[in-house]
Amino acid sequence: MDFIRSHRYGTYIICITGRAITYLTAVIYLLTIALLVYKEDMRFIRVIAVPAASFTALSVFRTKYNAIRPYEKYNFKPLIPKDTHGKSFPSRHVFSIFICAGAASYIYPLPGTVIYIMGIMLAVIRVISGVHFPKDVIAGALAGILCSIAGFTDL
């Protein structure tokens, strides 16, 4: 973090990149839903329901588990402005991007793959910025992938 802070725009670049990835993922996910609704493709229900149910379940687990964050444990200021206490494991940001990638891939593989790549980038940003431990983002990614497999695999 000192290396990033030592560069004039280092912190700004980290923060804006994380936001851009988050917003771009949301746009792709919402466009996927909009296209399905426009085409009267009933898969839009699954593309909404699987992420919503998974996100809710993960949020409940995370609140109950209530893992401490790196900046709390080591008493430093994270690169990304944050003052949340606990609720670090698993990373909900990373989970969300991976479940959105799974939803998009279910319909359109190429945009889904782009989101998966952005998910890896976001995971790295969340760790180097000091808001999550590596185990938090790995667990978030795995949970997103597993929920996607469970929710979007046609049997």
Side-chain angles (χ1 to χ4, degrees):
M1 288 189 347
D2 289 339
F3 175 77
I4 294 168
R5 283 192 175 110
S6 71
H7 288 67
R8 185 174 183 180
Y9 298 108
T11 301
Y12 175 77
I13 290 168
I14 291 294
C15 290
I16 202 73
T17 303
R19 268 197 209 136
I21 288 170
T22 301
Y23 292 142
L24 185 55
T25 297
V27 167
I28 295 169
Y29 175 66
L30 293 173
L31 282 173
T32 300
I33 294 169
L35 284 169
L36 290 172
V37 170
Y38 176 76
K39 292 179 178 181
E40 299 179 6
D41 185 332
M42 295 308 291
R43 292 181 297 173
F44 84 89
I45 295 170
R46 190 185 237 181
V47 168
I48 293 170
V50 169
S54 301
F55 182 84
T56 301
L58 184 104
S59 295
V60 169
F61 170 80
R62 193 170 99 129
T63 299
K64 301 265 187 217
Y65 191 76
N66 200 27
I68 194 167
R69 292 178 176 271
Y71 59 83
E72 293 177 284
K73 183 173 183 176
Y74 299 112
N75 197 29
F76 64 84
K77 183 179 175 187
L79 294 178
I80 296 173
K82 196 146 186 80
D83 60 2
T84 304
H85 297 288
K87 297 182 243 171
S88 182
F89 180 86
S91 169
R92 203 164 49 182
H93 269 86
V94 174
F95 168 80
S96 297
I97 201 167
F98 275 84
I99 193 79
C100 286
S105 292
Y106 173 60
I107 307 300
Y108 304 109
L110 183 59
T113 301
V114 169
I115 298 173
Y116 278 122
I117 293 166
M118 291 190 307
I120 294 166
M121 293 169 58
L122 185 67
V124 170
I125 287 170
R126 303 294 290 178
V127 172
I128 66 172
S129 65
V131 297
H132 283 292
F133 290 105
K135 68 180 171 75
D136 301 337
V137 298
I138 292 167
L142 288 174
I145 291 167
L146 292 174
C147 289
S148 293
I149 290 169
F152 299 116
T153 300
D154 292 322
L155 300 176

